[in-house]
């Protein structure tokens, strides 16, 4: 890896069906030549990426366990779907509103990507 003073800070805003997010994360991590801090922010239909019983839950669990990936779930989206914290993968943090969290991260210099 190339010597960089600070890691690349990237957040994936997942607000649609999250079928491509796992592939995009792998592509980013495989191609990066510097340290990467990666955050996946899930809202709306994208909330499935953070749920224990979703089509990609095993893949997301493996990513969370094997890499420096943080996953955030939108409280508004959880409540809108009648779900609670127990429905989330272990280690997923809940933020009050994904839109506010994403805006603050952008303000703080994080790159925002969509998958």
């Amino acid at each position: 890896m190339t010597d960089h003073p600070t890691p690349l800070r990237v957040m994936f805003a997942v607000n649609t069906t999250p079928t491509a997010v796992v592939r995009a994360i792998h592509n980013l991590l495989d191609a990066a030549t510097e340290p990467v801090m990666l955050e996946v922010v899930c809202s709306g239909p994208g909330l499935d990426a953070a749920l224990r019983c979703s089509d990609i839950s095993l893949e997301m669990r493996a990513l969370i366990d094997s890499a420096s990936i943080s996953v955030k779930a939108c409280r508004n989206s959880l409540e809108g779907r009648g779900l609670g914290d127990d429905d989330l993968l272990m280690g997923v943090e809940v933020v009050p509103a994904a839109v506010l969290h994403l805006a603050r991260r952008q303000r703080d210099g994080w790159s925002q990507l969509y998958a």
Side-chain angles (χ1 to χ4, degrees), residues 37-50:
M37 290 177 59
L38 181 58
E39 187 170 276
V40 178
V41 183
C42 308
S43 63
L47 187 62
D48 287 353

Side-chain angles (χ1 to χ4, degrees), residues 8-94:
L8 186 62
R9 297 179 301 167
V10 178
M11 61 182 170
F12 278 97
V14 184
N15 59 7
T16 62
T17 305
T19 53
V21 71
V22 172
R23 184 174 0 122
I25 291 169
H26 282 295
N27 289 343
L28 173 65
L29 294 174
D30 290 345
T33 59
E34 64 264 41
V36 177
M37 290 177 59
L38 181 58
E39 187 170 276
V40 178
V41 183
C42 308
S43 63
L47 187 62
D48 287 353
L51 297 177
R52 287 186 299 121
C53 298
S54 72
D55 292 341
I56 65 166
S57 63
L58 292 177
E59 294 171 279
M60 287 301 292
R61 176 81 262 146
L63 281 169
I64 292 168
D65 289 344
S66 68
S68 298
I69 295 178
S70 171
V71 179
K72 312 289 187 204
C74 175
R75 172 70 65 207
N76 290 332
S77 295
L78 279 169
E79 290 176 359
R81 290 175 60 176
L83 300 171
D85 295 7
D86 291 343
D87 295 301
L88 297 171
L89 289 165
M90 182 185 285
V92 172
E93 181 183 336
V94 177

